[in-house]
Amino acid sequence: MNELSLYILDICENSIHAESKNLYLTIEKSKIKNLLIITIEDDGRGMDKETLNKVSNPFYTTRTTRKVGLGIPLFKELCELCEGSFEIYSEVGKGTTDIAKFKLDSIDLPPLGAIDETLYCLACNEFDCDLHFKYIKDIDGNPKEFSFNTREIKEVLDGIDLSEPSIMMWFKDMVNEGLKELN
Amino acid sequence: MKSLEDLKRIREEAAKKMTIRDKKDGYRIVVGMATCGITAGARPVLNALAEEVANRDLRNVTVGQVGCMGECALEPIVEVYDPSGTRSTYCHVKASDAKKIIEQHILGGQQVKELLRENFR
C-alpha cells in the first residue's frame, strides 16, 4: 500500500465490522511537533486481553474466509518504519482505540493519498455505523480544524442513502473543499 | 465548505427521481473491501464504479462493499447481481474497467467475459 489513506481504510473496516455505532477518525498533523497522529476509536464489541495480544500477529484472524490477518500488522510495521509507534486499547463491550504515531519528516511516510475516497468508503458502510471525522493541521502553532459527521448528514438526507451517486459527489466535494481550506 | 443547505437541495432532487423506479428490481454491484482487496486496488475501483453510475444518472444500480470473499489472489473482485439474482464475479478489476462493466453489463446486459473468474483460475 502506497497511501496512508489506504491503511486508514483498512484499519477502520475492523471497527465497522465490530458492531460499532460510531467510528471516530482523527488525523492530527503537527509541523511544530514533527508528528502525525492517527486515532481510530470505536464503540464496538471490543476485545479481551487474550485477543488483543494476538492481533499484531499476522497468523491471527477472526475471519473464516482465509487464515491470515494482515491489517494491523502492516499498519504497525509502517508506524515503526516511520520512527513512530502503534498502540491499541480495547475493552469487551466498550470498544477499541488505535493510536498510530509517525514522524512527519520520515522518508518512509507515505503520502495521505485519496482520503476523500477512503472517507466515502467508510461513510457508506452497510452496518449503519456513523463516521465522525476530524482533521487537525498545525503548521505554526495556530491549529486549524476540519470536521464532519455522518449523523448530521443522514439527518438532512432523511431516508435517502448516502451511497446515492449524486450524494456521493456532494460528499467528496465537501471533504476536498474542507481540507483545502486548511492550507 | 459545501454546506448542508446544498445537500438538502441535492437530496430533494434524488428523492424525486427515486420514485420513478424502485431499486429493488435493479442491479447490485459489490466490491471486496478487506485488506486483500484494498491492497490490490479495490478502493479506486469502487469509486470509479460509483462515479460511472452517478455520471450516467442510473437509477436502478446500487454500488456497495463486502469483506473478503476468500479469493485474495484474484482481488480486486467485483460482483454484479442481475435483477434476476444471477451473480457474475469479475476478478483483477481495474478502475479503468468500471466504464466497461457499466456499459457492457449493466446497460448492455452482456457479461464482460475477459474479466470473469474462470479466466484466472
Side-chain angles (χ1 to χ4, degrees):
Chain A
M1 286 187 271
N2 50 9
E3 293 178 23
L4 258 182
S5 56
L6 287 174
Y7 288 87
I8 293 172
L9 172 60
D10 190 15
I11 299 300
C12 287
E13 290 283 344
N14 293 340
S15 296
I16 288 170
H17 287 91
E19 295 160 6
S20 304
K21 290 263 169 292
N22 296 285
L23 163 62
Y24 301 87
L25 166 62
T26 305
I27 303 174
E28 200 178 342
K29 185 178 177 180
S30 172
K31 267 241 160 84
I32 292 177
K33 293 182 200 152
N34 190 24
L35 201 61
L36 179 74
I37 308 172
I38 298 170
T39 311
I40 297 162
E41 190 180 350
D42 71 54
D43 57 2
R45 71 171 90 91
M47 290 174 278
D48 56 30
K49 272 220 169 79
E50 200 191 339
T51 311
L52 197 56
N53 287 335
K54 286 190 279 195
V55 293
S56 296
N57 179 344
F59 299 104
Y60 176 76
T61 182
T62 56
R63 72 178 79 243
T64 51
T65 48
R66 59 169 142 83
K67 286 181 177 154
V68 292
L70 287 169
I72 291 174
L74 285 171
F75 197 40
K76 187 170 182 245
E77 189 180 80
L78 182 71
C79 294
E80 287 162 3
L81 193 65
C82 300
E83 298 164 76
S85 62
F86 178 77
E87 293 159 54
I88 181 164
Y89 306 95
S90 193
E91 202 177 321
V92 175
K94 289 254 171 78
T96 302
T97 302
D98 307 288
I99 303 171
K101 293 181 183 168
F102 307 84
K103 211 170 146 187
L104 198 55
D105 65 0
S106 167
I107 194 157
D108 291 307
L109 184 67
L112 186 59
I115 189 74
D116 59 334
E117 288 193 5
T118 280
L119 293 171
Y120 170 66
C121 291
L122 294 174
C124 291
N125 70 80
E126 280 160 39
F127 299 87
D128 209 29
C129 172
D130 274 311
L131 170 67
H132 305 253
F133 176 73
K134 195 187 278 184
Y135 191 107
I136 305 163
K137 198 170 189 177
D138 188 356
I139 304 291
D140 51 8
N142 298 304
K144 287 187 198 166
E145 189 183 307
F146 164 67
S147 66
F148 70 82
N149 70 69
T150 55
R151 191 176 299 160
E152 262 176 25
I153 294 171
K154 283 179 198 164
E155 258 168 43
V156 174
L157 288 178
D158 191 20
I160 301 285
D161 212 276
L162 230 165
S163 67
E164 265 301 300
S166 58
I167 311 290
M168 171 202 77
M169 302 299 243
W170 172 85
F171 179 85
K172 282 202 202 168
D173 284 350
M174 182 272 294
V175 168
N176 288 325
E177 283 183 21
L179 289 174
K180 215 168 144 190
E181 276 176 25
L182 298 182
N183 291 328
Chain B
M1 190 187 122
K2 289 268 164 190
S3 68
L4 291 174
E5 282 304 312
D6 291 335
L7 180 60
K8 253 178 219 163
R9 206 188 58 245
I10 296 163
R11 187 231 169 253
E12 296 313 320
E13 288 293 312
K16 260 184 237 160
K17 286 175 189 162
M18 278 185 86
T19 51
I20 298 167
R21 188 157 187 182
D22 190 356
K23 286 204 158 171
K24 278 177 194 129
D25 51 47
Y27 285 87
R28 173 157 176 73
I29 304 174
V30 294
V31 182
M33 199 61 70
T35 308
C36 44
I38 294 168
T39 311
R43 189 191 62 185
V45 171
L46 174 91
N47 278 264
L49 285 165
E51 258 168 50
E52 282 292 332
V53 172
N55 291 337
R56 291 162 196 269
D57 205 17
L58 303 177
R59 310 309 307 170
N60 61 335
V61 186
T62 60
V63 181
Q65 303 162 56
V66 289
C68 174
M69 295 181 246
E71 288 274 26
C72 307
L74 300 181
E75 296 277 1
I77 297 177
V78 172
E79 293 194 320
V80 178
Y81 292 87
D82 293 1
S84 63
T86 308
R87 180 180 69 177
S88 308
T89 303
Y90 296 127
C91 301
H92 293 308
V93 179
K94 295 183 287 294
S96 54
D97 295 323
K99 195 174 171 216
K100 196 164 200 181
I101 291 173
I102 299 294
E103 280 179 356
Q104 195 173 317
H105 190 146
I106 308 291
L107 296 173
Q110 299 291 316
Q111 284 182 321
V112 183
K113 290 235 157 35
E114 64 271 27
L115 291 175
L116 283 171
R117 183 165 166 261
E118 50 259 38
N119 295 311
F120 303 101
R121 293 199 58 83

